[in-house]
Amino acid sequence: MEENMKYIFSDIRATTKDITNIINYLSNIKDNTLVMGSGGSKVVAEFIKLVLTKKNKIIVNTIDAADLSNMDTSLYENIIISSYSGKNHGVRNSLKYDLQGYLLSTRKTPIKNEILLTYDMEYRHSFISLNQTIVPMAIMLKYYLKDKFDEIIDLIEELIDKDLSFDMKEVTSIYTTYNTSSSTRFLESTMVEASLSAPVIISKYDYCHGRSTFNKDNNYSSIVLINQEKDLDKVLMDVLTHQLKSNLFIKGPFQDEIVNDFYLTLQSMYLLCNIAKNKGIDLSNIDYDKEAVKKLYYFKGSM
């Protein structure tokens, strides 16, 4: 786990040094697009959605691999699949449909007629996707920022709190909005996969409509992700401070909402790594249910 975090920024810089081919393909996506990712790649999928929606001015939706057989795919022209290896059943299943496929992956050989958005990065073993999540996100950030990318990455490295932690309880509510979807997904996914806490994702405005009872008289913790502080964030911070003893408010330091969600995702990585370390958990080597994995991770049937 510590080795993964040690090399995060060097992996980002090395992998994004020359991605001209990927950027050219991304810039030519002009029609409605689906984005699919599973596990840690679902975090990347959420970030792809944010970037393409804002930069390419198209309609983009994130989906699970199993959604494709239960929806009308004729409304879309493209599907972008995020997968570090690019070889799992979800990837292969997603390429069966009448959509132009794009694969953001380290895989170099096509399975069907997909356009390969191939990148190279040094392999870092980890059960929880860390470098394998933030590096493809950085590829999308470079596409979004262009020449400003290196400067922003340097700033993020200066601003990130590598020692961030707090008293995470057995149940943790995560307060989110559209522009914190990637960081929310990372927190939820990792908290579940590492059994750090039971996460409950709550839309910030929903908390104004009955959900405030969730924390009443309970010894829970909360994380509020703040992309750009609004009046609602101030009210939430006031109410949650009154309701709970263990709260963490993470604020994005940038003016740009895309950059902030990248920052919040990376900050969440350091946060959960520190919490895991304090609990004696190694995110790179989780003691998982091997019998369940045989049936689930290697599943290859219909969805």
Side-chain angles (χ1 to χ4, degrees), residues 175-242:
Y175 297 85
T176 185
T177 53
Y178 174 82
N179 59 10
T180 54
S181 59
S182 307
S183 43
T184 298
R185 183 62 68 182
F186 176 79
L187 285 168
E188 183 270 342
S189 175
T190 303
M191 287 161 64
V192 170
E193 291 183 28
S195 298
L196 294 176
S197 179
V200 179
I201 299 175
I202 300 178
S203 172
K204 291 177 181 178
Y205 190 57
D206 279 347
Y207 205 64
C208 300
H209 289 264
R211 297 200 175 198
S212 57
T213 57
F214 179 73
N215 289 316
K216 185 178 183 296
D217 302 324
N218 286 314
N219 186 29
Y220 297 158
S221 52
S222 80
I223 299 174
V224 180
L225 296 167
I226 303 171
N227 192 306
Q228 294 168 332
E229 189 172 88
K230 304 291 178 62
D231 292 338
L232 180 55
D233 292 305
K234 297 174 184 177
V235 172
L236 277 173
M237 287 189 283
D238 181 59
V239 170
L240 289 169
T241 300
H242 166 73

Side-chain angles (χ1 to χ4, degrees), residues 135-158:
V135 168
M137 285 181 66
I139 290 171
M140 295 305 302
L141 186 64
K142 184 167 185 178
Y143 167 62
Y144 176 72
L145 291 173
K146 293 185 177 179
D147 294 340
K148 296 180 181 179
F149 174 77
D150 291 334
E151 176 188 350
I152 293 297
I153 289 297
D154 289 345
L155 276 173
I156 289 173
E157 188 171 19
E158 289 177 19

Side-chain angles (χ1 to χ4, degrees), residues 126-141:
S126 185
F127 183 94
I128 304 294
S129 295
L130 298 169
N131 304 53
Q132 292 96 328
T133 293
I134 204 67
V135 168
M137 285 181 66
I139 290 171
M140 295 305 302
L141 186 64

Side-chain angles (χ1 to χ4, degrees), residues 164-166 223 248 250 267-275:
L164 183 66
S165 188
F166 85 122
I223 299 174
L248 182 63
I250 313 178
Q267 183 63 86
S268 296
M269 287 188 179
Y270 282 100
L271 168 69
L272 295 191
C273 283
N274 291 330
I275 291 173

Side-chain angles (χ1 to χ4, degrees), residues 6 82 129 143 167 169 198 277 282:
K6 177 182 177 182
S82 173
S129 295
Y143 167 62
D167 183 19
K169 305 296 185 182
K277 185 177 180 180
D282 182 356

